[in-house]
Amino acid sequence: MTRSHALRAAAALLALTLGLAACAPAQGSAAGSSDGAGVVGVALPTTADALWSRGGDALRRELIVRGYRVDLQFAASDSRTQAAQVQNMLTKSADAVVVAPWASEELTPALAVAADDGVPVVEFGPSPADAADLGRAQAQALLADLADAPSVAEPSPEATPTTTASGSTPSGDASPGAVSGTDAVLETGAVPGTDAVPGTDAVPATAAVRLAVLAAGVSDAGEQSRYEAALATSQPALDAGRLEIVSGATLEAAEVGGDTAESRASAAEKRLRDLRAGAADEAPTAVLALGDAVTRGVVTALTTTAPATEAETASPTPTPATTAAAVAPAPLVVGSGADPVTVRALRDGAIDATTFADPRALVPATADLVEALLAGDDTAADETPEVSPSILRADDVEELTASGWISAEEL
């Protein structure tokens, strides 16, 4: 399936996943015109991720059209807040609850109450299996584009350009530490894009692409599945020496930290800045950003200037770390999600690709399920439609706006 066809399919009909749970600081709520067919509580993790904010709005509209009153709540990435919201929905006699858990264990007491009261609970969002599909897709996009990763070859001392305080070369025409184009043939004897050296049978050793893997919380089963699938898909390239993991070789090492979507983005930004602040020949030349918030943080690190520290403000002379960061090439990045920040970076070439599955496509099936369960059809709980995510690149942005996911003004 082409990228464009996959995007059309995702936007028109397909879904991330549909999981069912038979047992299964707050922001504003929205309600329909009347109780009508009943009251449905919708508890989503955060408005910081477009996945939830736009998916939640689409679900609310669909349920209202079907005659339900809708209580839509966002938990600001706080599991206790979300548990309290669900409990409050039940206290207010919601007929059904749709929930995307921020942390499943916190919801256990509220879901037990729902089960006792016979209130159906529908889980909205990716299962661990679907998260694995996202990880595989990200790794596949990376492997397809390894040739586009920046050069990691260290020039000879004689060829090393003198670096100014700003990190530029005197001529301003070449990136320090990188050899490209005709100069690459002259200095290394290798034809760019190949391993061959003209006039010889020898094949020089090719440096591996240095990969940094950044991930969200290790306690989330979906994030574990995503990480494991991404690493398994990348393993042949690792075994062949085309890839070398320089950061994030285990999920614990890959985790950036942070309890909220915003703090995860900030932690991911800091992690990438730190990774690029070392020696230029050790900085990552490729990044897998596993998670929408993690991706936004990576984008921020690549597209903005780091705040000056006290030491940097006191002295205009660059430290060795600053100089090294200036000569490190921008890495090839594969992220996830289609938040405005991510899509702008994709359009502008700051990241190479992102994976996306339109949550709006899940809405009709979710509304159907709510109706079926409220009508007493317990067999509906066996329905779990799934779809592989699309890999989006810069030439897919226009189609993303045409689908209504993001507006031209946001870009």
Side-chain angles (χ1 to χ4, degrees), residues 97-290:
V97 174
V98 178
V99 60
W102 181 252
S104 299
E105 61 275 11
E106 293 286 349
L107 284 171
T108 300
L111 295 181
V113 172
D116 290 342
D117 292 347
V119 177
V121 177
V122 176
E123 187 174 330
F124 184 83
S127 69
D130 297 303
D133 286 342
L134 286 165
R136 274 189 288 271
Q138 287 185 260
Q140 289 164 358
L142 172 69
L143 296 177
D145 297 345
L146 278 184
D148 296 329
S151 170
V152 298
E154 257 194 296
S156 63
E158 296 79 15
T160 303
T162 301
T163 304
T164 66
S166 64
S168 62
T169 63
S171 67
D173 294 329
S175 299
V179 180
S180 61
T182 304
D183 292 338
V185 179
L186 296 177
E187 290 199 33
T188 67
V191 179
T194 74
D195 292 328
V197 177
T200 73
D201 294 326
V203 178
T206 301
V209 171
R210 296 190 299 267
L211 176 65
V213 185
L214 279 62
V218 298
S219 62
D220 186 293
E223 293 303 326
Q224 293 176 24
S225 295
R226 185 198 298 237
Y227 176 87
E228 290 168 1
L231 266 291
T233 303
S234 304
Q235 195 60 50
L238 291 166
D239 292 341
R242 297 171 61 208
L243 270 180
E244 171 193 4
I245 297 180
V246 295
S247 180
T250 65
L251 179 55
E252 289 74 15
E255 183 183 15
V256 298
D259 296 328
T260 68
E262 293 88 344
S263 62
R264 283 180 180 174
S266 296
E269 175 189 351
K270 183 179 185 304
R271 174 71 62 83
L272 185 56
R273 290 195 193 280
D274 290 346
L275 287 171
R276 298 189 68 214
D281 61 339
E282 296 176 0
T285 54
V287 174
L288 274 179
L290 304 180

Side-chain angles (χ1 to χ4, degrees), residues 297-322:
V298 166
V299 167
T300 301
L302 293 175
T303 58
T304 65
T305 302
T309 65
E310 219 174 283
E312 289 169 339
T313 304
S315 172
T317 305
T319 63
T322 302

Side-chain angles (χ1 to χ4, degrees), residues 57-99:
D57 285 342
L59 179 58
R60 176 184 60 85
R61 291 192 298 269
E62 178 67 20
L63 290 169
I64 288 174
V65 166
R66 298 191 187 206
Y68 295 98
R69 188 165 68 87
V70 181
D71 182 12
L72 172 61
Q73 298 285 338
F74 295 92
S77 303
D78 185 86
S79 57
R80 292 185 179 180
T81 295
Q82 187 176 52
Q85 288 172 338
V86 172
Q87 181 63 63
N88 190 46
M89 291 170 183
L90 296 171
T91 300
K92 293 190 297 184
S93 301
D95 297 288
V97 174
V98 178
V99 60

